[in-house]
Amino acid sequence: MQAKIVTLPGDGIGPEVTAAAVRVLEQVGTRHGHRFTFQEALMGGCAIDASGNPLPDETIAACEQADAVLLGAVGGPKWSDPTAAVRPEQGLLRLRSHFDLFANLRPVKAYPALAEYAPLRAELLDGVDILFVRELTSGIYFGPRAEQGEGDRAHDTMLYTVEQVERIARVAFEAARKRRGKVASVDKANVLASMRLWRRTVSAVAADYPDVELEHVLVDACAMYLLRNPAHFDVVLAGNMFGDILSDETSVLAGSLGMLPSASVGRGTFGVYEPIHGSAPDIAGKGIANPTAAILSAAMLLRHSLGLESEARTVEQAVEATLAEGARTADIAADPASALGTDAFTERVLAHLA
Ligand code: NAD
Ligand code: IPM
Ligand code: MN
């Protein structure tokens, strides 16, 4: 098949890990006879530096012509002055919103090969396989901003409509049907009105899925259960901010933030594929970032946007085999001093793909 992929490497380690994922996609294309073309565009801090705009019109236009977008990460200390009016992260939010990518899928697996290194006891990790379904284009990130204010007062508004909750809940229930048939819906219904609407709407949608088991979990307790009994969870459905926070927390189960991929999708097959991690300013430019999250995001791109399930599995199996033979980047190594850099680790994945 032919496919056009736009890459938005962004800032910090974004370009380093995106380059690794592109190498993997190129090799998949060559081996399986697909013609993937890549076009790079600016988003985030690098786009602010070039044009003052974190999401230039040319970038949106390029994405509109693409089958899928592979994104690195945006942001960093250079653009993090709290008084700055223009921020790299605004570009990312606008991109998600422009393409109505309301569902952010974040799979979390514990890899047996990494169990001895993980901060949690190995027996807790047995059978951990969670899918976060995070609402991505509403909630407190996109609440009414008209009088947001500066100076001595500021506020953000958590707003959800029934329609916004219904559509993301359906994504979670449909996913649960193809998995272990359980949805844990996360909210703060004991305090927030928007979260009471969330809870009653999810319950109403559940009536259409009698074969799926639904539980409601308050977000604070959920943060604890996810570490105390992670194997209990199948699909975790959460709003924009709670899903962001809980998925970073849960990355500890996979060994590192550098392990977790994501797919941001809407109604059609188009999607933006991005590691859940950020630009990691503390390690940027050193060539030591873990490219696994970006490579697994490329696998999600193959599956969701291009319909190439078996190629996606090949990439995931290559990553598993690479970890199983002991290859480690510094963030998942017992001895970071003898760990592989980004490129050396990627070579090992490519060798398993060959
Ligand atoms: P971060 O995710 O960038 O880093 C947190 C920690 O995880 C750091 O110690 C980092 O070194 C480590 N880490 C992250 N990815 C790694 C990888 N692939 N390999 C090895 N270690 C890795 O979070 P932060 O430092 O809080 O944020 C930095 C910037 O990134 C901020 O400007 C933030 O807004 C932005 N951010 C962007 C995205 C995105 O573009 N999707 C996501 C999250 C954060
Ligand atoms: C993520 C990031 C973003 C978010 C920021 C950078 C806007 O943390 O993709 O997880 O909060 O969604
Ligand atoms: Mn995040």
Side-chain angles (χ1 to χ4, degrees), residues 196-219:
R196 285 190 285 278
L197 178 138
W198 176 280
R199 186 176 286 216
R200 75 174 154 84
T201 306
V202 173
S203 290
V205 171
D208 291 342
Y209 299 86
D211 49 322
V212 177
E213 188 188 313
L214 168 67
E215 63 175 335
H216 299 283
V217 194
L218 293 171
V219 62

Side-chain angles (χ1 to χ4, degrees), residues 96 106 134 141 243-245 247-248 257 275-278:
R96 293 168 176 171
R106 299 186 157 187
R134 171 190 176 197
Y141 280 43
D244 178 44
I245 297 167
S247 53
D248 266 38
L257 206 46
I276 85 156
H277 64 69

